[in-house]
Amino acid sequence: MRTCCSILILAPLLAGLLLVSPTSRAADDDANPTAGSSNDQIKTLITQLGDGEYARREDAARRLRAIGKPALPALKEALKSDDAEIASRAQTLIKRIDVRPVPGPNPAAGDGVLQRTRMRLSVVNGDKVIEVTEAGRQIKISEGAQGIKMTVSGLLDGKPDTEEFNASDAEQLKADNPEAYALYEQWSSGGPGLMFRGRIGGGGVQINGGQIQINGGGGGGGGAFILPQALPMPIVPDELDLLRARLDKQMRQNKLKDADRDAVNQAVEKLAQARGAGNLAGGMDKYSDQCDDLRKTLEQFKLDPGDLLPPPAKTRLGVSIAAEEKRLFVMKVAEKSRAERIGLKTGDQIRKVDGKEMTTVGELRQAVSAREKGLVVEITRDGDDLKLEEK
């Protein structure tokens, strides 16, 4: 039986040696997509966008994407095509080539296993490097004197894909590709990632699930410090580090003078010292006063802290808050504060303010800032739900 089969397929095989099939030619084009990307070839592929077979339409679209910007003039002309399929696919391709989309998460990467977020920060040849794994998507951001380079691997149009984005600075990245900039902004500073400060020669800081690992430099080893998995360590950025990152970015954008930058940084450091003394007698009041002083400094230089500072004195609640799994717990109540007048106590869980659910410190600050008087706070205390009203 095997001999018969070999004889039957011999002729097609010989023919295949003499003829180049469309599939093999496509493979050659994939190896070097811009080679032979003449106007005639591009026009042929655009015509193929309206082919009766779905596979051939997809193949043409894939090859035009690989050709990239040289295909744009013909694709823009194809928008006028009487064939609705060609015009529609040309429009999609123009968007795909002009502003490359960012690959999204890839749930299948974990074979059904929940993917934990991992983040690694390091310095490589003077460049800050951030590597992130989230939901099966890989993100790498390198930023230094040569600009920004970001590589994202994930799912695009339902298929695994990798895209690279380059820009001289954040503003150029934002102008070229807002979606890529949003991802850069999320992880580079002020997002759910951690603020990286100082230099780590040859090593880095790695967050892996519930562990934080600090890698030493090369040569002498340096060792590593790992928090045991038994002690859960949520990846929560320090607010002062996020504030420093936010202000540093604004100061660079506003081109503040070195003396002005020093004034802002000194005000932030004073706030950090006041927060460090928060558990001492009068420490919370000192921290609140320092927040107000910092706000005045920021207003002087037209800098915006966002919701990374407590509200101004006239609306401040006057509590220390611990956030745990979208729940807010009162850790401390300042004397003669708004919180004390309302009736808040240590251990209370703040569930709602003026009817709105509170799940983050930022939401709480916004809600408190929005109303100077008559605040209504719904809490849970010792298992009982209570409603407290500001008189």
Side-chain angles (χ1 to χ4, degrees):
M1 181 65 70
R2 290 179 183 172
T3 304
C4 294
C5 289
S6 298
I7 294 172
L8 288 173
I9 65 173
L10 182 59
L13 284 174
L14 287 173
L17 294 175
L18 299 175
L19 299 175
V20 180
S21 68
T23 303
S24 63
R25 181 175 287 116
D28 291 340
D29 289 339
D30 286 343
N32 189 3
T34 58
S37 300
S38 64
N39 288 334
D40 289 342
Q41 181 193 15
I42 291 171
K43 289 179 181 178
T44 299
L45 290 172
I46 288 176
T47 301
Q48 190 176 321
L49 291 176
D51 194 272
E53 294 184 15
Y54 174 79
R56 284 179 58 78
R57 297 197 299 271
E58 285 290 290
D59 180 63
R62 176 179 56 80
R63 292 167 66 184
L64 285 165
R65 283 200 305 269
I67 291 171
K69 291 189 181 294
L72 283 176
L75 285 168
K76 290 177 181 177
E77 188 65 28
L79 294 175
K80 306 172 186 176
S81 175
D82 294 333
D83 189 320
E85 182 73 18
I86 290 178
S88 175
R89 283 181 173 265
Q91 185 176 38
T92 300
L93 283 166
I94 289 170
K95 291 181 181 178
R96 175 72 172 81
I97 294 170
D98 253 349
V99 181
R100 302 196 313 282
V102 177
N106 183 4
D111 296 325
V113 178
L114 178 63
Q115 295 291 301
R116 292 184 296 179
T117 298
R118 295 178 174 87
M119 183 177 179
R120 185 178 187 276
L121 306 110
S122 58
V123 173
V124 180
N125 297 325
D127 290 351
K128 181 177 75 174
V129 179
I130 300 173
E131 297 171 276
V132 180
T133 299
E134 57 154 2
R137 178 167 65 172
Q138 307 292 326
I139 304 163
K140 182 176 180 180
I141 303 171
S142 300
E143 185 171 7
Q146 302 302 315
I148 298 169
K149 177 181 177 181
M150 183 168 71
T151 304
V152 184
S153 298
L155 278 187
L156 199 57
D157 298 328
K159 300 175 183 177
D161 201 346
T162 297
E163 290 286 351
E164 183 178 301
F165 307 91
N166 297 278
S168 59
D169 54 29
E171 290 305 312
Q172 183 189 342
L173 181 63
K174 185 177 183 179
D176 291 348
N177 195 314
E179 187 181 3
Y181 171 78
L183 192 64
Y184 160 82
E185 179 78 355
Q186 176 184 356
W187 290 107
S188 65
S189 65
L194 300 179
M195 172 62 186
F196 175 72
R197 302 180 67 221
R199 298 178 61 84
I200 302 176
V205 180
Q206 183 168 352
I207 297 94
N208 186 343
Q211 299 180 342
I212 295 182
Q213 179 171 332
I214 304 175
N215 301 316
F225 172 72
I226 302 178
L227 291 179
Q229 186 69 35
L231 299 177
M233 183 68 181
I235 304 176
V236 179
D238 182 272
E239 282 194 341
L240 279 181
D241 279 341
L242 295 184
L243 179 63
R244 289 186 181 98
R246 181 185 180 96
L247 296 179
D248 182 68
K249 179 179 178 181
Q250 292 180 34
M251 288 189 290
R252 283 187 281 108
Q253 290 176 339
N254 297 349
K255 298 181 180 179
L256 259 64
K257 297 178 181 178
D258 289 344
D260 296 337
R261 289 171 63 95
D262 289 342
V264 172
N265 290 331
Q266 287 172 11
V268 174
E269 290 309 314
K270 288 182 180 178
L271 179 64
Q273 293 171 11
R275 190 181 71 168
N279 291 327
L280 302 177
M284 194 168 178
D285 290 336
K286 291 178 181 178
Y287 175 70
S288 298
D289 292 341
Q290 199 61 54
C291 285
D292 293 335
D293 289 344
L294 177 57
R295 281 187 178 277
K296 292 177 183 178
T297 301
L298 299 183
E299 289 172 3
Q300 177 184 349
F301 297 112
K302 299 180 180 179
L303 301 175
D304 177 20
D307 60 0
L308 294 172
L309 278 180
K314 62 183 179 180
T315 58
R316 187 159 45 238
L317 193 56
V319 292
S320 295
I321 294 292
E324 179 184 333
E325 296 180 350
K326 297 185 177 182
R327 295 182 298 171
L328 306 181
F329 295 94
V330 176
M331 301 299 292
K332 191 174 181 180
V333 179
E335 293 182 5
K336 300 179 181 179
S337 66
R338 202 176 176 192
E340 187 179 65
R341 292 195 300 272
I342 292 173
L344 286 170
K345 296 182 179 179
T346 299
D348 288 347
Q349 179 194 343
I350 298 177
R351 294 183 294 104
K352 294 182 180 181
V353 173
D354 289 341
K356 296 180 181 179
E357 291 188 2
M358 298 289 109
T359 59
T360 68
V361 173
E363 291 175 351
L364 178 61
R365 286 175 176 170
Q366 290 176 6
V368 171
S369 299
R371 185 186 290 271
E372 294 185 22
K373 299 179 180 179
L375 209 62
V376 177
V377 183
E378 296 179 47
I379 66 169
T380 297
R381 178 184 296 165
D382 298 328
D384 296 327
D385 292 340
L386 304 174
K387 181 181 288 188
L388 308 178
E389 299 185 22
E390 185 179 19
K391 302 301 183 182

